[in-house]
Amino acid sequence: MHLRATIRRQASGGDVTETGSTLVEVALSSAVLLSVIFGIMQVCLALYTYTFISEASREATRYAVVRGASSCTVAPTFPNCNLNPTSAGNPIQTYVTGLGYPGLNASNLTVTASWWSPSGPPGNTWTTACTVSTCNAVGNAVSVQVTYAFPLSIPFWKNATVNLSSTSQMMISE
């Protein structure tokens, strides 16, 4: 008698089918929840990376500013003294990749420097891009843009790359 009641209860949609549907609901909702949690973690890592990119652009600008036209006369052994747009290679890129920020892949990093001549008295605005070797004179400005290709990886979502960028500009004062 007890066996018949159990078979009748299972056949009429009793406990067994409800347990299975609950298991499927938990699996689907936990997959969505975990995707959202990992997505939030990826966005936090992108913000963390942007903080380092901003710091790197400021450091690179300071590096270029102190290597103006008179930097070789002060200390001839100063590395990369008299830095300007015609300098061989990209010493600012080399400097930024050498900073060694944690979690950043140096191959995803791009550094672009540009020198600007003032359009009025020194300290006003810089609207004229300078391309000759005398761009590192006092009163001119250096602008450094650091770009990082951040690999965004969220479960159940297509992998993408987000370009994070920060620009810093300073005037050459010595």
Side-chain angles (χ1 to χ4, degrees):
M1 179 110 173
H2 181 60
L3 181 61
R4 283 187 191 164
T6 305
I7 292 173
R8 230 182 277 132
R9 186 174 43 192
Q10 288 178 352
S12 65
D15 296 332
V16 175
T17 56
E18 289 178 15
T19 304
S21 66
T22 304
L23 186 61
V24 170
E25 289 173 2
V26 167
L28 291 175
S29 62
S30 62
V32 170
L33 178 67
L34 288 175
S35 293
V36 169
I37 288 173
F38 283 117
I40 290 171
M41 290 171 59
Q42 283 290 307
V43 170
C44 288
L45 283 173
L47 291 173
Y48 171 81
T49 302
Y50 179 73
T51 301
F52 283 118
I53 297 304
S54 298
E55 177 65 22
S57 70
R58 289 189 296 267
E59 288 291 327
T61 305
R62 286 185 205 109
Y63 182 82
V65 165
V66 299
R67 284 157 176 79
S70 62
S71 64
C72 289
T73 57
V74 175
T77 59
F78 197 50
N80 294 320
C81 66
N82 199 16
L83 190 62
N84 58 47
T86 59
S87 295
N90 192 347
I92 299 175
Q93 169 98 26
T94 306
Y95 172 73
V96 170
T97 55
L99 291 174
Y101 288 117
L104 295 183
N105 184 356
S107 63
N108 293 350
L109 202 59
T110 304
V111 180
T112 307
S114 56
W115 281 257
W116 298 87
S117 299
S119 58
N124 282 350
T125 58
W126 294 271
T127 56
T128 308
C130 185
T131 57
V132 295
S133 62
T134 58
C135 295
N136 56 0
V138 174
N140 288 351
V142 177
S143 178
V144 176
Q145 180 180 23
V146 177
T147 305
Y148 185 77
F150 181 79
L152 189 64
S153 177
I154 300 173
F156 308 116
W157 195 269
K158 67 176 187 167
N159 290 343
T161 301
V162 178
N163 288 325
L164 303 174
S165 176
S166 181
T167 304
S168 177
Q169 182 174 338
M170 295 175 109
M171 185 177 79
I172 300 172
S173 59
E174 290 185 16

